[in-house]
Amino acid sequence: MAGKRSPGRAVYDALCAAAPYGRCPLCGQRQVGTLDHHLPKSTYPFLAVAPTNLVPCCFDCNHTKKDSAPASESEQTLHPYFDNIDDHRWLRARLIEKDPASLNFYVAPAGTWPAELTERVQAHFSLLNLNGLYSAQAAGELTEISPHISQLVPHGAGYVHEYLLEVADSRAATRRNGWTTATYYALAESDWFCSGRAIS
């Protein structure tokens, strides 16, 4: 299907284009560049070209997943077509309050999730090293917003807190579980950051 002159290329392109904003639904960050076999074709060859088993993704996620087959339900990565977990804000971050400041991202499961779903989300998060990806992105974000935060600090920590919370709520309105949403909520919750100690 992937060949430029393959008769299935139109279907391949349509599946790749199905990802909202062209963003990989597995990591939620990088650009879609290929299709991933949700269930590996080496183990499930009869699903090799089944559209529901072909998921648009970035090259990094596709390479990380490789051809491994889950040994249990809890090891199965999330399927963007069938696993809707965005009703709950499960992606959270902790600010590491030292110079330079950084963030750690983690899964905060909904209380209504069954144990198997919690395990799957955590396995997905770990397998694709989403903490590493999001932490690197957040480091750049912290550097970029530092000049603006330094201008707000003289107005008081409460003023900085309200600004960060406003940004977090705005990001959450469109991407409840985006790394920027988790980043700004974590910053808003930190008295250390709001007081300007991260940029002093």
Side-chain angles (χ1 to χ4, degrees):
M1 291 179 67
K4 294 292 185 182
R5 298 182 180 180
S6 167
R9 181 68 193 203
V11 176
Y12 180 95
D13 289 341
L15 290 170
C16 284
Y21 310 109
R23 186 181 292 125
C24 173
L26 299 184
C27 66
Q29 177 61 32
R30 294 177 289 245
Q31 182 179 359
V32 166
T34 186
L35 292 178
D36 173 67
H37 289 90
H38 182 68
L39 295 174
K41 60 184 177 182
S42 60
T43 309
Y44 303 93
F46 53 91
L47 294 176
V49 294
T52 54
N53 194 47
L54 295 172
V55 175
C57 70
C58 65
F59 290 110
D60 285 359
C61 284
N62 183 256
H63 177 74
T64 300
K65 279 191 69 205
K66 297 183 179 177
D67 212 24
S68 59
S72 65
E73 181 182 354
S74 63
E75 295 179 7
Q76 179 62 61
T77 53
L78 298 172
H79 195 303
Y81 302 156
F82 304 114
D83 294 313
N84 180 13
I85 57 173
D86 276 342
D87 290 341
H88 171 77
R89 189 167 71 87
W90 57 266
L91 179 62
R92 305 295 177 108
R94 294 186 192 93
L95 181 67
I96 300 174
E97 298 178 343
K98 64 179 184 180
D99 189 19
S102 60
L103 289 110
N104 261 334
F105 293 81
Y106 63 97
V107 174
T112 55
W113 284 359
E116 293 80 8
L117 179 58
T118 296
E119 291 172 356
R120 286 184 62 208
V121 176
Q122 291 172 335
H124 182 102
F125 193 81
S126 176
L127 174 66
L128 298 179
N129 188 26
L130 298 187
N131 176 48
L133 173 62
Y134 299 159
S135 294
Q137 297 295 326
E141 186 78 3
L142 286 172
T143 299
E144 291 178 9
I145 68 172
S146 287
H148 185 57
I149 297 299
S150 66
Q151 294 176 351
L152 301 181
V153 167
H155 298 284
Y159 191 88
V160 177
H161 168 79
E162 289 301 320
Y163 166 75
L164 294 169
L165 194 60
E166 181 180 325
V167 175
D169 288 343
S170 175
R171 301 297 174 90
T174 54
R175 293 197 66 200
R176 182 173 290 162
N177 289 297
W179 69 265
T180 54
T181 301
T183 293
Y184 279 96
Y185 278 126
L187 297 180
E189 292 165 2
S190 170
D191 293 337
W192 179 84
F193 187 85
C194 291
S195 66
R197 293 180 63 189
I199 56 175
S200 59

